[in-house]
């Protein structure tokens, strides 16, 4: 369960397009988030285990690179730093995601977006709330 949740989180956040309105101006920001659970350099760690049979109650912390293209070797433009909690008793339904997206390139260098959202697995495309 945790494994599929992580993969899905990576895909969903990678597809996030931000639309910020300012004087009827809209900005679309596309990036790819690389969430790596295993190997020598995991970008996510489990910090609280679950006492239930399912993964309900588990807490994970991540620090994932954000890149311009889908390849991890493409230009690094920021990091996604935060946590997610398996907050639904049916762990296949949703996660609680809290994260900062920290940008490090060009006009967005130093800017952050804060996410506080339910990540639902019930729909083919998920939307995450930016606060
Ligand atoms: C949108 O923002 C850009 C950059 O600030 C500005 O040059 C442009 O005039 C704006 N367009 C509109 C329709 O407000
Ligand atoms: C981004 O901003 C930091 C802090 O001001 C600076 O050290 C860094 O060189 C900047 N990076 C780029 C790519 O401009």
């Amino acid at each position: 369960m945790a494994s599929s949740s992580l993969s899905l989180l990576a895909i969903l956040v990678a597809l996030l397009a931000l639309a910020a309105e300012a004087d009827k101006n809209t900005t679309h920001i596309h990036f790819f988030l690389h969430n790596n659970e295993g190997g020598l350099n995991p970008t996510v760690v489990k910090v609280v285990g679950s006492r239930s049979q399912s993964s309900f109650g588990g807490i994970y912390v991540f620090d994932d690179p954000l890149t311009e293209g889908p390849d991890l070797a493409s230009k690094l433009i920021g990091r996604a730093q935060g946590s997610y909690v398996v907050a639904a008793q049916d762990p296949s339904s949703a996660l609680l995601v809290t994260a900062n997206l920290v940008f490090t390139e060009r006009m967005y260098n130093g800017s952050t977006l804060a996410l506080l959202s339910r990540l639902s697995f019930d729909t083919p495309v998920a939307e995450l709330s930016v606060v």
Side-chain angles (χ1 to χ4, degrees):
M1 163 55 210
S3 171
S4 61
S5 300
L6 292 173
S7 303
L8 192 53
L9 177 66
I11 293 165
L12 295 172
V13 177
L15 296 176
L16 174 76
L18 170 73
E21 260 200 57
D23 296 325
K24 297 181 182 170
N25 248 328
T26 301
T27 302
H28 293 275
I29 302 175
H30 296 260
F31 53 82
F32 292 82
L33 181 153
H34 301 269
N35 186 274
N36 179 20
E37 299 169 56
L40 293 175
N41 298 303
T43 61
V44 58
V45 292
K46 185 182 201 175
V47 293
V48 174
S50 173
R51 302 181 71 179
S52 72
Q53 289 286 22
S54 69
S55 53
F56 173 59
I59 300 178
Y60 299 77
V61 172
F62 57 88
D63 182 356
D64 295 334
L66 303 176
T67 61
E68 208 165 54
D71 191 330
L72 180 57
S74 72
K75 188 172 189 172
L76 180 72
I77 61 164
R79 305 199 69 85
Q81 299 168 328
S83 64
Y84 54 86
V85 178
V86 185
Q89 291 203 46
D90 171 6
S92 66
S93 65
L95 296 173
L96 167 64
V97 180
T98 309
N100 285 315
L101 305 182
V102 186
F103 297 98
T104 53
E105 279 300 314
R106 289 175 258 164
M107 65 186 287
Y108 299 114
N109 187 10
S111 295
T112 61
L113 289 174
L115 306 181
L116 174 57
S117 191
R118 180 175 198 261
L119 173 55
S120 171
F121 300 122
D122 297 340
T123 53
V125 176
E127 294 184 355
L128 300 179
S129 309
V130 176
V131 296

